[in-house]
Amino acid sequence: MNSRVRRAAEILRAGGLVAFPTETVYGLGADASSEAAVARLYAAKGRPPDHPVIIHFSTPENAFEWGREIPEAAGKLAARFWPGPLTLILRRSVRAGDFVTGGQDSVGVRVPSHPVAQELLREFGGGVAAPSANRFGDLSATAAAHVDETLKADLVLDGGASDVGIESTIVDFSGDKPALLRPGAISRVQLEEILGGKILDRNSSSPRHSGGLERHYAPKTPALLVPAHALDSEIAKRGASVAVLAYSRPDERVEYWIRMPREPRAYAHRLYAALRELDGANCSAILIESPPETAEWDAIRDRLSRAAG
Ligand code: TXA
Ligand code: MG
């Protein structure tokens, strides 16, 4: 056992905050059964108290203890995709206090696969409440160096660059039928294959959820989505002070240009680091070439449209 991980588990037990790697993005963790620790977490994030957090566990058995009346379908998704980039919203059990559910009758649970996250969760033993390790509304951190320093974590565990690069897929089982609250690396098609039926979209009865806000996961520089055919004229109109995130080759008029992969997994892996880099370039705007309209790009279109507010 890595001594830093042991130290991190001690900090969690003492009510402190630990930033740790997961396969999706870095999380800022606190003991999910301690109201005081979770209060510190919300204060550090600048997160409104009525927004719930995801609780992380080392095994599905532990995760399911925090839910009740668990639908068979939720068990099937867990069996197929955990550990991995999937969050399930369940009706909560008595273990999940109002301070982690935003006062709602549901709880979000996830079993991450990253080996450092697994080691930490096993060593700690209980549930770890962990939103992404960034200030509320900002870009998520996908490397230890990107964990927002203003969060004042007591310890940051470094587990390298996050493999997936965007937040987990969230499926809500707190209503009558499963609904997709947030698209992610695990696609709608993969979920429907296991469920053997259609999964609903987020709807008006879905629980409150900050990733569902119109502007979220956003850089500070104004960002806008631009279709490929309009990129050239948009650059001409706005001049050299723009930054560009695109599939096409760099244009010599623009100094800050990041060329992105045409494959959605590789694109997701790079997305936040690329936006972060362009955000740091002091440009007047970030022009983002619109991704394809196909289903494999759903999660990326979702994040980009929120980044563009
Ligand atoms: O990949 C991820 O899910 C990362 C890593 C660290 O695990 N975590 C993450 O957490 O993205 P956060 O807090 O930034 O986003 C959690 C999302 C929010 O949109 C929150 O509202 C929703 O999950 N959520 C959590 N519990 C919920 C609940 N009981 N009902 C509805 N939505 C919930
Ligand atoms: Mg977040």
Side-chain angles (χ1 to χ4, degrees):
M1 157 78 55
N2 176 333
S3 66
R4 269 183 86 72
V5 172
R6 195 174 303 132
R7 174 88 195 100
E10 279 165 17
I11 290 170
L12 290 176
R13 274 181 220 114
L17 304 181
V18 172
F20 64 98
T22 85
E23 69 281 17
T24 57
V25 299
Y26 275 67
L28 180 69
D31 179 354
S33 45
S34 161
E35 185 160 10
V38 172
R40 278 194 68 200
L41 178 64
Y42 274 62
K45 277 265 310 176
R47 186 180 202 138
D50 61 342
H51 284 264
V53 274
I54 297 173
I55 325 246
H56 299 66
F57 300 88
S58 63
T59 66
E61 293 69 34
N62 291 346
F64 284 142
E65 283 171 12
W66 286 57
R68 66 172 208 276
E69 301 154 29
I70 295 162
E72 205 186 317
K76 281 189 189 165
L77 292 188
R80 170 66 184 82
F81 298 112
W82 277 351
L86 175 71
T87 295
L88 300 177
I89 308 297
L90 304 170
R91 296 198 174 124
R92 68 169 165 177
S93 76
V94 290
R95 290 192 189 229
D98 282 340
F99 53 92
V100 285
T101 67
Q104 303 181 93
D105 190 35
S106 59
V107 64
V109 295
R110 168 161 125 77
V111 178
S113 63
H114 193 292
V116 175
Q118 273 289 328
E119 210 181 331
L120 175 66
L121 292 166
R122 270 198 309 272
E123 174 72 9
F124 176 65
V128 173
S132 48
N134 51 275
R135 301 277 304 174
F136 185 71
D138 291 356
L139 294 170
S140 297
T142 52
H146 299 164
V147 171
D148 190 333
E149 285 167 13
T150 66
L151 294 176
K152 298 227 173 7
D154 297 303
L155 184 79
V156 180
L157 289 173
D158 190 344
S162 302
D163 191 23
V164 174
I166 56 173
E167 305 78 3
S168 59
T169 302
I170 304 182
V171 181
D172 177 22
F173 282 100
S174 69
D176 295 339
K177 295 197 175 119
L180 184 60
L181 286 194
R182 181 172 72 185
I186 295 172
S187 69
R188 172 186 290 274
V189 174
Q190 285 176 291
L191 297 168
E192 291 179 343
E193 209 172 274
I194 303 295
L195 295 174
K198 290 277 167 214
I199 186 161
L200 301 175
D201 277 316
R202 206 157 70 83
N203 56 58
S204 54
S205 69
S206 296
R208 261 193 319 280
H209 129 102
S210 40
L213 298 175
E214 274 174 24
R215 186 175 161 82
H216 206 76
Y217 313 117
K220 296 189 175 50
T221 311
L224 71 159
L225 280 164
V226 181
H229 66 83
L231 199 54
D232 194 60
S233 59
E234 199 66 41
I235 295 168
K237 193 172 92 195
R238 289 167 179 269
S241 66
V242 294
V244 177
L245 190 75
Y247 302 95
S248 36
R249 282 180 194 290
D251 175 320
E252 54 198 24
R253 284 171 297 177
V254 175
E255 185 175 355
Y256 294 100
W257 184 298
I258 293 182
R259 196 166 178 203
M260 296 296 281
R262 283 188 188 273
E263 193 281 310
R265 282 181 192 272
Y267 189 109
H269 176 71
R270 289 204 54 192
L271 177 60
Y272 287 130
L275 283 175
R276 195 173 284 274
E277 188 181 332
L278 295 180
D279 203 18
N282 272 319
C283 292
S284 58
I286 301 174
L287 307 184
I288 304 170
E289 184 175 345
S290 305
E293 291 295 325
T294 54
E296 333 152 63
W297 291 86
D298 279 355
I300 287 163
R301 277 202 315 280
D302 171 79
R303 299 313 187 279
L304 291 179
S305 64
R306 294 183 206 288

